[in-house]
Amino acid sequence: MDQDSNNSEDESVGPSEEPSEDEWAIHPASLPPGLSDAEAVELLWQVRAQRRQTSPDLPETVTKLIATDGSVLYLVGTAHFSDSSKKDVAMTIRAVQPDVVVVELCQYRVSMLKMDESTLLKEAKDINLEKVQQAIKQNGVMSGLMQILLLKVSAHITEQLGMAPGGEFREAFKEAGRVPFCKFHLGDRPIPVTFKRAIAALSLWQKARLAWGLCFLSDPISKEDVEKCKQKDLLEQTMSEMIGEFPALHQTIVAERDIYLTHTLRQAARCVEAPPNAQKVPAVVVGVVGMGHVPGIERNWDKSLNIHEIMSVAPPSRFNWVLCTVLKGGMMGLLGYACYRAGGSIGRVLLSIPAVQSLLENLQPPAA
């Protein structure tokens, strides 16, 4: 997803001030009359270059990485439920006036960029039948139910803080729209791939234990706790505490996505063509990711990466297939109860899903 913009911002405004959009924007009426399209493009390019700070004073949460062609990545590590992270993102984009902004989202979660805070808050708390059916249709029965349980973790934090997740991504989307020619990229691995690989990496017993822990998550969380987690994203920290005994799950949910994010960030950090002669110049990129991904991206930045390995889902072995067929009925019951706990009557409704009915029929002994 790309977003090109004809607006920009004035770097003279300090980070503690909150200017209006009119103060930052370049209006068409402010351009000299009689300019051709090519002349207007060149003028806007020059204005952005003048506003771009070459040695910006950025927050401590920003890491600077250099690509082989000289392109620069400013990687903003965030906590997904933090107001200060939103300010860090806005301050960085305003200072460096990037060519590309990349966020830790995929096409399946892009809707959160255009939804208002109150709607997102309501959606995060409301785990209903429609969400269950959509998750199962998108990811399959087992992965879909696990996704619902992970959503419950996010909903728990949302309820504790009264704050919807992803505010830093919406801030990045808004600020990118004010920078001339800035493109907006989705940098995360598609969530169905992540969930399918995560489920495939766990045994049935591990899936049951993880589902139980997610279902009964109830520890209180404060906004102060969120800010303390600026060294590591809150949601990922909460998850890591529960999945610490499952290294394979950490590998698929965190480490593999570190690799994928590094790949998309490096793709964005390539030379761009500058008007009027399309001369190749190093790009400036801002990446917005959870703080927990920053160390992995730094480690992988100069490595040769194999993306195909982390985009496929290995078929189960014959033994695992037989075992899953025998035990999946019990697992379905456990996950169904967990989802019931997470969202009212969801567990009862699971029996009406065709895939569940088919599974239960296959598990029934043949008639005498």
Side-chain angles (χ1 to χ4, degrees):
M1 173 181 165
D2 287 353
Q3 171 186 301
D4 292 306
S5 170
N6 291 322
N7 297 327
S8 186
E9 297 185 287
D10 183 353
E11 66 179 25
S12 63
V13 178
S16 62
E17 302 177 39
E18 188 64 29
S20 67
E21 293 190 19
D22 287 342
E23 290 181 70
W24 291 106
I26 297 177
H27 297 288
S30 66
L31 297 176
L35 290 179
S36 66
D37 289 346
E39 290 171 333
V41 167
E42 185 176 359
L43 177 59
L44 288 172
W45 188 276
Q46 292 173 354
V47 169
R48 186 183 67 171
Q50 292 171 357
R51 295 181 173 181
R52 177 178 287 171
Q53 301 176 22
T54 55
S55 300
D57 183 14
L58 299 176
E60 294 181 354
T61 54
V62 179
T63 301
K64 183 178 179 180
L65 298 173
I66 308 295
T68 54
D69 64 2
S71 296
V72 180
L73 167 66
Y74 295 95
L75 189 62
V76 187
T78 69
H80 294 323
F81 292 83
S82 169
D83 281 331
S84 66
S85 285
K86 292 165 60 176
K87 295 176 182 177
D88 290 351
V89 169
M91 179 181 178
T92 303
I93 293 176
R94 292 173 185 177
V96 306
Q97 296 285 292
D99 298 289
V100 185
V101 171
V102 182
V103 296
E104 184 199 330
L105 289 176
C106 67
Q107 64 267 36
Y108 294 93
R109 293 177 286 160
V110 71
S111 60
M112 73 161 53
L113 293 175
K114 295 187 177 180
M115 296 174 68
D116 61 80
E117 193 82 8
S118 59
T119 302
L120 279 167
L121 195 59
K122 182 176 180 296
E123 287 288 318
K125 293 180 179 179
D126 184 21
I127 301 178
N128 53 29
L129 172 60
E130 183 179 353
K131 289 185 179 179
V132 174
Q133 290 177 327
Q134 182 179 2
I136 290 176
K137 182 179 179 180
Q138 181 175 294
N139 302 308
V141 175
M142 300 297 288
S143 297
L145 292 177
M146 190 62 70
Q147 179 181 352
I148 291 298
L149 293 175
L150 292 174
L151 284 176
K152 182 180 180 291
V153 177
S154 180
H156 168 68
I157 300 174
T158 297
E159 185 176 4
Q160 292 283 314
L161 301 179
M163 179 188 302
E168 75 275 30
F169 301 140
R170 291 186 291 280
E171 193 72 17
F173 184 70
K174 179 179 70 175
E175 293 294 337
R178 300 177 182 176
V179 178
F181 314 112
C182 182
K183 298 181 183 298
F184 191 89
H185 291 179
L186 305 176
D188 203 0
R189 181 171 65 178
I191 197 169
V193 176
T194 296
F195 278 118
K196 287 176 182 178
R197 287 183 62 85
I199 291 297
L202 297 178
S203 67
L204 283 176
W205 174 239
Q206 288 176 323
K207 294 171 190 174
R209 290 166 61 194
L210 177 62
W212 191 262
L214 293 173
C215 179
F216 293 99
L217 175 69
S218 59
D219 293 338
I221 300 168
S222 67
K223 292 186 178 181
E224 289 73 20
D225 293 330
V226 176
E227 295 308 319
K228 290 178 183 177
C229 292
K230 290 295 288 293
Q231 300 305 314
K232 190 173 184 182
D233 175 71
L234 175 65
L235 182 56
E236 288 168 4
Q237 176 172 323
T238 304
M239 287 300 304
S240 66
E241 290 174 355
M242 290 183 294
I243 67 177
E245 56 190 298
F246 307 127
L249 195 58
H250 181 273
Q251 174 68 21
T252 54
I253 291 180
V254 180
E256 289 183 359
R257 288 172 59 223
D258 289 346
I259 294 173
Y260 192 92
L261 287 165
T262 304
H263 171 73
T264 54
L265 287 165
R266 292 200 312 207
Q267 291 289 105
R270 292 179 172 181
C271 285
V272 296
E273 296 181 349
N277 301 319
Q279 179 183 0
K280 294 285 188 179
V281 297
V284 174
V285 178
V286 170
V288 183
V289 302
M291 184 62 74
H293 289 293
V294 173
I297 293 172
E298 288 187 88
R299 286 193 301 269
N300 291 314
W301 185 248
D302 295 317
K303 293 182 180 179
S304 177
L305 304 176
N306 188 338
I307 297 302
H308 299 292
E309 287 184 357
I310 62 171
M311 290 299 291
S312 61
V313 180
S317 66
R318 184 172 182 81
F319 173 78
N320 284 339
W321 182 85
V322 172
L323 186 62
C324 285
T325 301
V326 174
L327 300 179
K328 192 174 284 188
M331 183 64 193
M332 285 292 300
L334 176 61
L335 287 177
Y337 174 71
C339 287
Y340 170 79
R341 291 276 304 182
S345 61
I346 293 177
R348 293 193 294 271
V349 178
L350 286 175
L351 294 177
S352 68
I353 299 174
V356 178
Q357 293 176 345
S358 175
L359 171 65
L360 295 178
E361 289 174 1
N362 292 334
L363 290 175
Q364 290 177 352

